[in-house]
Amino acid sequence: MRKKREKRVSAFPYYSVTLLRHQAGVTIVEVMVSIAIGLFILAGVVQLYASATQNSAVVQGSSTIQENARYIFSRLAEDVSQAGFGGCFNLTAASASGASRFTNVVAGNNAEGELYDFEQFIDGVDNEAIENLTFDAFTVRYTKSSERHLALTHVNPSFTIADSAPFKQGDLVLVTNCSRMTMFRVSNEPAGSGVLSYAETDGYNSLGEGGLEDAYEVRVKEEQKPGTPPVFLSRSTMGVAQYRIDTSAAGEAAGVNCSSENAHYCALFRKTTTEGKGDELVEGVQGFEVEYGWQDYNNQDTLYFTDAGSVQNNWNLVDRIKVTATLNSISTAPTNEGVQRMERSYSRVFLVHNQFPSDTQFREEL
């Protein structure tokens, strides 16, 4: 007996055929709508990226200015606060008798107003021109040393000490008995000899002028006359700091000078030697103004702030310095006036810790 062949028939024949017959891709309208939505999202992403980039440039510019200003003022505070420091007395050039307590016998660059002119522990100049800009500059002077050595004998042109190992030829040496001070340059190579000589070309004979010779007649401690103060020698590690504006290293590399058009190439330099520009502290300093303050106790304790040209003979009375620095962001950033360099101005007053303008001698001079 033959089996009947089963015939399979779809339960939904009409609908199956209908579905297969009408299946198709997306329409042009759907494609255009999808593209429009994608472009809208992409525009939002681009706008977000642009805003983030602009905000980053603004934040970076502000941060650069603030960090540079903070660094400048920290260096200024360190130097200005020490101006006039001489170890165990201040370096006020004009004492009650009008005689200088500091003698610099280092030849060269020690004339009035020059870098090593310790007759005046603060001085400045107004409106130094660089291209089409002008800046102020000022110099502070003080002494600083980490060790001292008792002078055993002194016979022109040399001192003897117990240990000359820390010294070498060319060092600047400070000699003081806490009443007067002299700076000289070592002309010999001590090499443990205990002898520190100063060259005749450095004007060593000035040590014997104006009573200084008596101050430096030193003997071994046991043989010192009663009341004779001991004399100490120390190696000077720092004594001068001059602040002025000049073209930055980046500007020199690009062959462009500091100017109003290229203010990002203006840099503040700190100079401690007579050679070169000194150390570049920060660039982008497009304004540097300095004022000097002192008190007139004969005029109801009036506080004066004035420029360098108006200080005249009152430099030794200056007990504070006001610095106004204008800095830019170096790189461009969006501002309310368009895309350009951001600018900020900061002012700060620094006190000279070693000046005491209320002393009787200063009141008499005023």
Side-chain angles (χ1 to χ4, degrees):
M1 178 183 291
R2 292 189 306 174
K3 296 181 179 180
K4 288 184 178 181
R5 180 182 298 175
E6 295 181 1
K7 185 176 181 180
R8 297 181 180 180
V9 179
S10 171
F12 307 97
Y14 174 77
Y15 294 105
S16 299
V17 172
T18 301
L19 291 173
L20 292 174
R21 182 183 301 170
H22 291 84
Q23 185 175 0
V26 295
T27 65
I28 186 66
V29 175
E30 294 172 327
V31 172
M32 294 179 66
V33 170
S34 299
I35 292 174
I37 294 173
L39 289 175
F40 181 77
I41 295 174
L42 182 60
V45 172
V46 171
Q47 181 64 35
L48 181 63
Y49 174 77
S51 298
T53 302
Q54 291 179 359
N55 291 336
S56 176
V58 171
V59 171
Q60 181 63 38
S62 298
S63 177
T64 297
I65 291 174
Q66 292 175 6
E67 289 299 320
N68 286 347
R70 185 179 296 112
Y71 179 65
I72 286 175
F73 288 142
S74 67
R75 295 305 299 268
L76 286 170
E78 179 180 351
D79 285 327
V80 175
S81 65
Q82 297 183 87
F85 179 70
C88 44
F89 66 91
N90 66 46
L91 295 180
T92 303
S95 65
S97 62
S100 174
R101 303 172 68 188
F102 192 103
T103 302
N104 179 14
V105 298
V106 178
N109 206 254
N110 59 351
E112 183 177 355
E114 292 185 334
L115 196 61
Y116 293 144
D117 174 25
F118 275 83
E119 297 290 320
Q120 192 165 286
F121 63 88
I122 295 177
D123 65 41
V125 294
D126 299 322
N127 301 323
E128 286 193 331
I130 303 178
E131 296 290 332
N132 55 358
L133 294 175
T134 59
F135 304 93
D136 294 342
F138 75 98
T139 304
V140 295
R141 302 176 181 88
Y142 56 91
T143 64
K144 183 176 181 180
S145 57
S146 58
E147 57 187 19
R148 64 179 188 176
H149 301 264
L150 179 66
L152 303 179
T153 61
H154 167 229
V155 179
N156 273 336
S158 64
F159 286 91
T160 60
I161 58 177
D163 180 16
S164 60
F167 299 88
K168 63 181 184 297
Q169 188 175 20
D171 280 348
L172 295 179
V173 177
L174 300 173
V175 189
T176 181
N177 64 349
C178 289
S179 175
R180 297 174 184 270
M181 180 177 291
T182 294
M183 174 185 286
F184 69 87
R185 181 188 289 116
V186 178
S187 61
N188 67 317
E189 187 59 62
S193 64
V195 177
L196 300 180
S197 299
Y198 38 96
E200 184 174 2
T201 55
D202 276 346
Y204 70 76
N205 288 327
S206 62
L207 282 173
E209 296 176 358
L212 284 175
E213 186 68 29
D214 293 336
Y216 293 110
E217 275 297 329
V218 184
R219 294 170 174 79
V220 179
K221 186 175 182 180
E222 290 76 15
E223 298 178 2
Q224 283 186 354
K225 298 178 181 179
T228 301
V231 175
F232 295 96
L233 285 77
S234 58
R235 184 161 53 96
S236 177
T237 56
M238 187 182 301
V240 177
Q242 185 180 83
Y243 288 87
R244 63 178 351 108
I245 303 296
D246 210 323
T247 301
S248 67
E252 289 186 344
V256 180
N257 290 329
C258 162
S259 65
S260 59
E261 296 79 16
N262 298 287
H264 55 301
Y265 287 140
C266 301
L268 179 63
F269 287 81
R270 179 178 180 272
K271 186 175 182 179
T272 58
T273 63
T274 57
E275 295 80 21
K277 295 181 179 180
D279 298 324
E280 180 178 324
L281 299 182
V282 297
E283 56 184 341
V285 184
Q286 63 185 60
F288 194 71
E289 299 179 3
V290 185
E291 295 178 281
Y292 308 88
W294 71 92
Q295 291 176 280
D296 184 350
Y297 291 94
N298 291 329
N299 190 17
Q300 298 181 348
D301 295 352
T302 301
L303 175 62
Y304 290 96
F305 270 106
T306 184
D307 57 21
S310 301
V311 176
Q312 298 179 354
N313 297 323
N314 293 318
W315 284 107
N316 294 314
L317 305 180
V318 171
D319 62 356
R320 64 203 70 194
I321 296 178
K322 180 180 180 181
V323 176
T324 301
T326 302
L327 298 93
N328 61 57
S329 57
I330 303 175
S331 58
T332 57
T335 66
N336 293 333
E337 292 76 25
V339 179
Q340 58 186 24
R341 294 180 183 85
M342 301 173 62
E343 300 176 10
R344 297 286 187 277
S345 293
Y346 301 88
S347 294
R348 182 175 171 183
V349 176
F350 304 93
L351 295 180
V352 181
H353 293 175
N354 298 284
Q355 262 301 81
F356 307 98
S358 60
D359 287 354
T360 303
Q361 67 184 69
F362 294 145
R363 295 193 183 195
E364 292 173 353
E365 289 172 358
L366 283 169

